[in-house]
Amino acid sequence: MEYVRLGATGLAVSRLCLGCMSFGDPGWQPWVLGEEASQSFFRLAVELGINFFDTADMYSLGISEEITGRALRRYGNDHEIVLASKVFFKLQEGPNRGGLSRKNIVQSCEDSLRRLGVETIDLYQIHRYDPAVPVAETLAALDQLVRQGKVRYIGASSMYAWQLARMLSASERNGWARFISMQNHYNLLYREEEREMIPLCQAEGLGILPWSPLARGLLARAETLDDPPATARAESDALMHDRYTHPADAAVVQALRTVSGQLGVAPARVALAWLLSKPYVTAPIVGVSKLSHLEDAVAALEVALPGDAVKALEAPYVPHHVIGH
């Protein structure tokens, strides 16, 4: 396993982050694995050298955090593990149940700490931008958590570049804790982040943690939505069918199939190797439902794509509407 610094910090993270949305309550989503079925994934991840784990309070309405916390206490080493969680979405209906108000951020962090079974969350991220709450209120609340020792670092997730720039500026003006990372939507089928967000993060020293690096499994199977669903998640995943419908996507998938065949490397490994070849990408967040998926992801670290393969993978892409915010 390779390790790199996250953003402009001294925090060392593995080149792959295990996304824990797949572990929780099968009643929340039919493709989610329960606690017993999840254990082998955490054990293998640690054995493979992965030290970076990402969850969120809304995954399985908190149960993912509980399972993740217990598994890492069982298999991991607290001094080495980097544990990340997120806040924004509602777990229940009602006033003050979601968003980025001081009240919800502080209370949600306390709840996450309890569910994770830790005293401090290594990386606490805002899951989305909240236009209904003043930026100063959100950032002051996050800074408070850092100063109290409940959070070590803070990060952001999908938003427009101007929104991130505004938040970074407010942090600097007030001497508050500053975002060290951006968890954004980025893969071979969706590259709109290359226009403004990624250059901004490079200039400001934020690490890039792409979510959905395999386009919710489409790139792993190198299939289009015209192909029969190959997994239970593909059959029931409404977001996959909403997000990856651009007419040009089929050409990108075909390029992936071609390059995969030429190199004799599985499509999932090629798609991840493309992300890992970008110097601005710190660690793609991989979600898995089979142990072989995790092994494939780690094997992608050993794939060095020739320059002509990179060009072939990128050539069919055309501009998309912004999605994922």
Side-chain angles (χ1 to χ4, degrees), residues 52-219:
F52 195 8
F53 298 83
D54 177 79
T55 185
D57 57 4
M58 61 86 64
Y59 296 164
S60 291
L61 305 180
I63 295 177
S64 174
E65 287 185 319
E66 295 176 359
I67 291 174
T68 298
R70 285 194 290 267
L72 293 180
R73 287 195 297 277
R74 181 178 183 182
Y75 300 114
N77 183 316
D78 181 58
H79 288 279
E80 299 174 1
I81 293 297
V82 176
L83 180 56
S85 193
K86 300 184 284 293
V87 58
F88 174 77
F89 292 105
K90 289 184 176 181
L91 277 68
Q92 301 177 37
E93 290 301 317
N96 299 311
R97 287 289 188 173
L100 299 179
S101 67
R102 179 187 294 272
K103 179 177 175 63
N104 188 57
I105 287 174
V106 172
Q107 290 185 169
S108 294
C109 183
E110 296 284 0
D111 291 341
S112 290
L113 288 167
R114 173 180 50 78
R115 287 190 292 261
L116 291 165
V118 297
E119 295 182 356
T120 307
I121 297 171
D122 295 308
L123 177 63
Y124 198 50
Q125 304 154 108
I126 57 171
H127 213 155
R128 291 294 185 272
Y129 182 86
D130 189 347
V133 177
V135 163
E137 178 177 346
T138 295
L139 294 171
L142 293 170
D143 180 73
Q144 173 186 328
L145 294 175
V146 172
R147 293 177 186 276
Q148 290 176 338
K150 296 176 181 178
V151 169
R152 291 190 172 96
Y153 301 93
I154 60 172
S157 190
S158 296
M159 62 179 68
Y160 291 100
W162 71 264
Q163 294 169 330
L164 176 61
R166 185 173 178 231
M167 299 188 87
L168 291 173
S169 176
S171 291
E172 291 172 357
R173 289 197 309 272
N174 292 281
W176 292 330
R178 190 174 186 271
F179 294 133
I180 68 164
S181 60
M182 164 52 63
Q183 186 177 141
N184 53 347
H185 184 204
Y186 186 46
N187 56 52
L188 274 171
L189 291 180
Y190 185 79
R191 292 168 48 200
E192 297 309 296
E193 297 292 287
E194 293 174 355
R195 300 180 185 279
E196 295 186 357
M197 179 58 78
I198 289 174
L200 172 62
C201 290
Q202 286 182 283
E204 295 294 332
L206 274 67
I208 300 289
L209 309 172
W211 57 262
S212 203
L214 296 177
R216 299 182 84 84
L218 280 175
L219 296 174

Side-chain angles (χ1 to χ4, degrees), residues 21 36 59 94 109 131 134 160 166 171 245 263 275 303:
M21 188 179 184
E36 184 176 351
Y59 296 164
C109 183
Y160 291 100
R166 185 173 178 231
S171 291
T245 58
L263 299 179
L275 272 176
V303 177

Side-chain angles (χ1 to χ4, degrees), residues 273-297:
W274 174 80
L275 272 176
L276 291 162
S277 73
K278 303 302 180 182
Y280 46 75
V281 169
T282 301
I285 301 171
V286 295
V288 297
S289 57
K290 297 179 180 179
L291 292 176
S292 59
H293 297 166
L294 186 54
E295 293 167 339
D296 260 347

